[in-house]
Amino acid sequence: MNKILFKALLSIYALLTMLAVISDLRVNPFNPAHLFFFMGCAIFISVVSLKTSHTLVLLITGLVCMHIAAIIAGQINGFHLSHHIVRAAVSLTLVLMFLRIKP
């Protein structure tokens, strides 16, 4: 049950991020933040769908991509520290959830 919840949350996170990036691309030109957001989402999808011994590494890599993208976007659109604190808390929660459910 916990594994299903984790995969659902990660999938929703990836889907909502992709929707936000696609929406942003309709009004703003492509920038490096979009690339890192796409990479992070692709990695999240691989974490959800693949069975590998490197899942934790993939999860952390995807989260790092998301943080890099948020920092780049903050340099373009204005940096909001509270956004990054919440993003770090969500990332830590996802890693802890993964560690708890991993057999």
Side-chain angles (χ1 to χ4, degrees):
M1 179 67 171
N2 288 337
K3 187 177 269 189
I4 294 170
L5 177 63
F6 172 77
K7 288 184 175 188
L9 287 174
L10 196 59
S11 297
I12 291 168
Y13 187 26
L15 178 66
L16 291 176
T17 300
M18 287 295 288
L19 289 173
V21 171
I22 290 168
S23 174
D24 188 58
L25 282 170
R26 292 179 182 215
V27 294
N28 293 313
F30 186 82
N31 63 58
H34 295 125
L35 177 63
F36 279 100
F37 278 128
F38 281 130
M39 287 175 18
C41 290
I43 293 170
F44 287 165
I45 298 303
S46 69
V47 166
V48 169
S49 59
L50 298 177
K51 290 186 179 185
T52 176
S53 60
H54 304 294
T55 308
L56 179 60
V57 173
L58 285 172
L59 176 62
I60 292 171
T61 302
L63 292 169
V64 167
C65 284
M66 293 294 202
H67 285 278
I68 291 170
I71 290 168
I72 293 170
Q75 291 175 342
I76 296 169
N77 302 321
F79 188 83
H80 300 283
L81 182 61
S82 61
H83 173 87
H84 296 280
I85 291 170
V86 170
R87 184 175 290 278
V90 168
S91 296
L92 179 63
T93 301
L94 287 171
V95 170
L96 291 175
M97 280 180 71
F98 176 81
L99 292 173
R100 185 172 172 95
I101 63 170
K102 189 172 185 215

